[in-house]
Amino acid sequence: MKFLFVISLFLTSLTLASAAPSKPAAGLHQWSKRQTNTVSKPDGRLFNINGTTQYFAGTNAWWLSYLTSDQDVDTVMSEIAATQLKVVRVWAFGSVNSIPQAGTVYFQILNSTGSYLNTGADGLARLDAVVASAETHGIQLVLPFTNNWSDLGGIPSYNAAFGDNATSWYTSAPSQAAYRSYIEAIVNRYKNSSAIFAWELCNEPRCQGCATSVITNWAANTSSYIKSLDGAHMVTLGDEGWFAPADGIGDGSYAYGGDVGVDFTANLKIDTLDYGTFHLYPDSWGYNYTWGSTWIEEHDQVGSQIGKPVVLEEYGTPFPHNHTGTEAPWQTTVVNATQVAYDSFWQFATINLTSGSQYDVNSIWYNDTEYTVLARQHAADMLAKKVA
Ligand SMILES: *[C@@H]1O[C@H](CO)[C@@H](O)[C@H](O)[C@H]1NC(C)=O
Ligand SMILES: *[C@@H]1O[C@H](CO)[C@@H](O)[C@H](O)[C@H]1NC(C)=O
Ligand SMILES: *[C@@H]1O[C@H](CO)[C@@H](O)[C@H](O)[C@H]1NC(C)=O
Ligand SMILES: *[C@@H]1O[C@H](CO)[C@@H](O)[C@H](O)[C@H]1NC(C)=O
Ligand SMILES: *[C@@H]1O[C@H](CO)[C@@H](O)[C@H](O)[C@H]1NC(C)=O
Ligand SMILES: *[C@@H]1O[C@H](CO)[C@@H](O)[C@H](O)[C@H]1NC(C)=O
Ligand SMILES: *[C@@H]1O[C@H](CO)[C@@H](O)[C@H](O)[C@H]1NC(C)=O
Ligand SMILES: *[C@@H]1O[C@H](CO)[C@@H](O)[C@H](O)[C@H]1NC(C)=O
Ligand SMILES: *[C@@H]1O[C@H](CO)[C@@H](O)[C@H](O)[C@H]1NC(C)=O
Ligand SMILES: *[C@@H]1O[C@H](CO)[C@@H](O)[C@H](O)[C@H]1NC(C)=O
Ligand SMILES: *[C@@H]1O[C@H](CO)[C@@H](O)[C@H](O)[C@H]1NC(C)=O
C-alpha cells in the first residue's frame, strides 16, 4: 500500500535512552543461538506450515514493529491468532538519514559514509518484540527489507544518502551494498526464529519506464544473496503482480503494460524466489471490482503454469467500516475458483492499544461486524478448503 499512514505515538511511554547506532556486524542476538527452525515451506502450489499442507488466510499489520509497548504487540498477535490467521506481514525496515527526535522508532541510518544499524530500545528491539510475540502465538511473519515508497524510509532514504533515484537504485553499487548490509543484519538476527515465514525483497518495487529486466535481474541477484545467508527460509519479491506485454495476458491496459517495470511471469520463474505475490487496489488503479476477480484468476493461472504458490498479499477498498460488499466477492474467488495459497487483507486494525494507533480507510477493525465476515469466516473457509 502506498498511501501515507497516520501513526500517532504517545510519547510518555517511550524509552528515551537511544543507543548509538552500530554497524550490522556488531553482536549476535538470542535467536542466532537457537537451532534453525524452519516451520513453513512450499509444497507444490501451497504451503506447509508446521507439518500441515493447507490453505489459510493472513493479514497485514505493517505498524506492529513501530508500536512501543510489548504488551500492545502481544495483544495484536493474540487477536490475530484467535482469528486463525496464520501469517502477518510486518515492516522490517525503517530508514532515516540522520538521528531523529528521541523516541522515534527507526532501524537504520543511511548517509554518505554507509549504513548504521539501530539496535537500541527505539530500534531493532521493537522488531525483536514482534518476532518474540509471533513465536509465542504461533504466527508466521513475512518481513520486507525496504519499500518503494517513502513511508518509513524506503528506497528514497537510500537515494538521499547515495545520490541515486527511484530507477538507478536497483543497479547502484553503493545503494545495493547498503541494502545488502541491512538484509544481512536482519536475516542473521532472526533466521533461527521459528516465526519466519518468508523474507521479502521490497514492498511494491517499481521501476517506472525501465526494462522489466532491471527488476528481474535485481530480484534474481538479491534473492540468491538471501539464500546464501539463509537457505532454509522462503524468499519472495513483494511486488504488486504487474504483467508485461510479453506475458500475453490481459487487454494491454495499465496493469498489463509493463509500464512500472515489473513482469510477474518472468519474476516467478526466478529459482531463488519460492512464491509469487500480487496486490489488488482497483480504486487506485482505475479498474472495477469485477476485474479484481479476473486479476486473481490470472495470477493463479500463471502460478499453475510455473508450478509455484501465488499469494494475494494485499487487497483493499477505501470504504471505512464497509468493505464486505466490495471484498467478499474476491475472497469467494480465492476460495472457490483458484488455488491461491493464501490471501492477506490490507489491513488489520484494533482498538485499545496504548502505545500508538494506526488506521487507514482500508482497515478491517477487530471490533467491527465486517471483521466477522472478512477475517473470521474467511479464515475458517480457507482452513476448511480441501487440499486436492
Ligand atoms: C543457528 O543455529 C544453528 C544450529 O544451532 C547454528 O549452527 C547456527 O550457527 C545458528 N546461526 C547463527 C547465525 O548463529
Ligand atoms: C553517518 O551516521 C553515523 C551514525 O549516526 C555517524 O556516525 C556518521 O558520522 C554519519 N556520517 C556523516 C557523513 O554524516
Ligand atoms: C508446531 O506444532 C507443535 C505440535 O502441535 C507445537 O508444539 C509447536 O508449537 C508448533 N510450532 C509452531 C511454530 O507453530
Ligand atoms: C536516474 O539516474 C540515472 C542515472 O544517473 C539517470 O540516467 C536517470 O535519468 C535518472 N532518472 C531521473 C528520473 O532522474
Ligand atoms: C515508486 O515507484 C514509482 C514507479 O517507478 C516511482 O515513480 C516512484 O518515485 C517510487 N517511489 C518513490 C518514493 O521513490
Ligand atoms: C545481477 O544479475 C545480472 C544478470 O544476471 C548480472 O549481469 C549482474 O552481474 C548481477 N549483478 C550482481 C551485483 O550480482
Ligand atoms: C469491468 O472492467 C472490465 C475490464 O477491465 C470490463 O471488461 C467489464 O466490462 C467491466 N465491468 C463492468 C460491470 O463495468
Ligand atoms: C457500503 O458499500 C456499498 C458498496 O459495497 C455501497 O453501495 C454503500 O453505499 C456503502 N455504504 C456506506 C454507508 O458507505
Ligand atoms: C463456495 O461454493 C460453495 C458451493 O459451491 C458454497 O457453498 C460456498 O458458500 C462458497 N464459498 C464462498 C466463500 O463463497
Ligand atoms: C477494549 O477495552 C474495553 C474496556 O476494557 C473492553 O470492554 C473491550 O472488550 C476491549 N475491546 C477489544 C476489541 O479488545
Ligand atoms: C471499532 O473501533 C473503531 C475505532 O475506534 C470505530 O471507528 C468503529 O466505529 C468501531 N466499530 C464498532 C462496530 O464499534
Side-chain angles (χ1 to χ4, degrees), residues 47-353:
F47 297 109
N48 182 296
I49 300 182
N50 205 14
T52 305
T53 297
Q54 61 191 338
Y55 292 96
F56 56 87
T59 188
N60 288 273
W62 69 265
W63 40 267
L64 264 175
S65 50
Y66 285 81
L67 296 179
T68 52
S69 148
D70 290 2
Q71 178 57 55
D72 280 354
V73 171
D74 220 50
T75 296
V76 171
M77 286 295 183
S78 66
E79 290 174 352
I80 288 172
T83 310
Q84 294 191 281
L85 298 167
K86 299 296 180 193
V87 172
V88 58
R89 185 161 165 264
V90 178
W91 285 178
F93 56 82
S95 304
V96 295
N97 296 118
S98 57
I99 298 177
Q101 193 187 357
T104 304
V105 175
Y106 69 101
F107 303 143
Q108 178 185 226
I109 295 177
L110 294 165
N111 62 32
S112 58
T113 51
S115 66
Y116 303 82
L117 213 57
N118 178 11
T119 56
D122 56 359
L124 288 176
R126 301 318 314 143
L127 196 52
D128 293 350
V130 172
V131 173
S133 181
E135 288 182 353
T136 301
H137 294 282
I139 298 291
Q140 295 282 284
L141 298 169
V142 174
L143 298 178
F145 297 125
T146 191
N147 196 359
N148 180 77
W149 314 104
S150 58
D151 307 326
L152 291 319
I155 289 173
S157 65
Y158 288 82
N159 297 342
F162 306 116
D164 294 313
N165 61 39
T167 56
S168 67
W169 183 84
Y170 292 95
T171 51
S172 151
S175 279
Q176 291 303 308
Y179 171 60
R180 285 189 176 202
S181 156
Y182 187 68
I183 289 174
E184 182 185 18
I186 298 297
V187 169
N188 283 338
R189 194 175 182 90
Y190 302 120
K191 70 180 178 183
N192 280 3
S193 166
S194 62
I196 305 304
F197 185 80
W199 308 115
E200 184 165 280
L201 270 52
C202 181
N203 175 52
E204 303 188 337
R206 293 183 179 189
C207 192
Q208 188 79 40
C210 304
T212 57
S213 59
V214 172
I215 280 187
T216 300
N217 288 340
W218 164 80
N221 288 338
T222 308
S223 56
S224 151
Y225 173 67
I226 296 167
K227 291 286 187 183
S228 78
L229 299 171
D230 172 13
H233 285 106
M234 294 189 285
V235 179
T236 193
L237 181 49
D239 61 309
E240 296 151 292
W242 308 112
F243 290 113
D247 299 328
I249 295 168
D251 58 6
S253 60
Y254 181 66
Y256 307 94
D259 298 336
V260 296
V262 174
D263 180 338
F264 178 82
T265 306
N267 295 335
L268 192 57
K269 289 177 180 164
I270 294 170
D271 283 344
T272 40
L273 291 179
D274 295 282
Y275 65 92
T277 60
F278 63 106
H279 298 181
L280 176 56
Y281 294 104
D283 295 279
S284 304
W285 300 347
Y287 289 91
N288 61 39
Y289 296 138
T290 314
W291 173 83
S293 284
T294 305
W295 186 241
I296 293 167
E297 287 167 356
E298 287 164 345
H299 288 84
D300 181 51
Q301 281 153 19
V302 172
S304 170
Q305 283 153 19
I306 295 175
K308 286 186 183 177
V310 296
V311 169
L312 175 53
E313 186 181 59
E314 289 188 20
Y315 56 99
T317 58
F319 303 112
H321 313 291
N322 185 29
H323 301 95
T324 307
T326 47
E327 297 178 31
W330 299 336
Q331 294 185 337
T332 299
T333 299
V334 167
V335 174
N336 272 356
T338 72
Q339 288 183 277
V340 167
Y342 83 83
D343 66 85
S344 43
F345 62 88
W346 184 279
Q347 66 165 329
F348 179 90
T350 192
I351 56 175
N352 290 356
L353 301 183

Side-chain angles (χ1 to χ4, degrees), residues 28 31-36 188 191-192:
L28 280 178
W31 285 285
S32 65
K33 300 186 188 74
R34 296 185 197 167
Q35 290 291 328
T36 297
N188 283 338
K191 70 180 178 183
N192 280 3

